[in-house]
Every structure is written in C-alpha cells, then in structure tokens.
Amino acid sequence: MTVRNLAGFALAVLAAWLLWGGIHTVNVIVSRGSPLSDALLSPPTSLLRILGTFVAVIGGLLAGFGKPFGALLSLIGVGVFALLAATMALSGANSVLWMDEAVFSGILIVLMGLLFILQRN
C-alpha cells in the first residue's frame, strides 16, 4: 500500500465523517418539523456540505483503490466543500459557524494535494 493509497483512504474516511455530520444535521432539522427543502436550501450550506463530501468520498475511495479519476473527483468534492467554508466566511457569518469547515477544508486540501503529487502505481 502506497502513501497515495493511504491518502485516498484517509480522504474518504474524513469526507465520510463530514458527510454523516451533514446528513445528521439535515435529519435533526427535518425531525423538528421543517420541510426537507428548507433544511437543504435555506441557506444552501447543508446541500453544499452533503454534495461536496459525497463526491469526495467517491473520489477518495477510487484513489485509494488506485482507479482512474479518483483525484479528479476528490478535487471536485473538496472544492465544493472549501467553497462552503469560503461562502460562510465571506457572507459575514460568525467564525464559530464556519471555522470547523475551514479547518477540515485545509486537511482535505492537503490530502487531495497528495493525490495529485504522488504517482499512481
């Protein structure tokens, strides 16, 4: 197992954990009586988090198993998740709301960068 494979699997595990957090949040909002559309789209942070992390999980697993296009899918997923942190920060939201996403975006970007730097065997 190479470092690239380990980076792919680490990215997939971290993204899966973040995906579970996004789905859990939507589930809590819906269980309190809000419609699903409001939970996902008002504001669209939950939708961006779920979409980005889902694509990152798929890309990380593909890269971990040494399949083609894993790094590219990881780039798209991590890009969407980083966009989430950036939009929250630039919208003037309290840093308590977006700091976790910014830190996890940085970690995901490093792992995704390893997928592009290291050669696939």
Side-chain angles (χ1 to χ4, degrees):
M1 177 142 326
T2 65
V3 175
R4 187 180 193 278
N5 295 95
L6 290 175
F9 287 131
L11 188 142
V13 167
L14 181 59
W17 181 68
L18 292 168
L19 175 63
W20 175 83
I23 291 171
H24 178 70
T25 302
V26 168
N27 194 20
V28 167
I29 293 170
V30 169
S31 70
R32 292 182 180 167
S34 295
L36 181 61
S37 62
D38 285 350
L40 290 174
L41 299 173
S42 292
T45 54
S46 294
L47 181 63
L48 286 175
R49 182 176 184 144
I50 291 170
L51 179 67
T53 54
F54 179 74
V55 173
V57 167
I58 300 297
L61 287 174
L62 285 174
F65 287 117
K67 303 295 181 191
F69 302 111
L72 181 62
L73 279 176
S74 296
L75 173 67
I76 294 168
V78 170
V80 170
F81 191 79
L83 177 69
L84 164 68
T87 53
M88 290 174 73
L90 294 174
S91 70
N94 191 340
S95 64
V96 172
L97 298 174
W98 55 264
M99 189 58 69
D100 289 343
E101 277 79 5
V103 170
F104 287 123
S105 292
I107 296 168
L108 288 172
I109 288 170
V110 168
L111 291 171
M112 186 259 321
L114 288 173
L115 297 179
F116 279 99
I117 292 171
L118 301 172
Q119 284 185 335
R120 183 178 40 175
N121 292 342

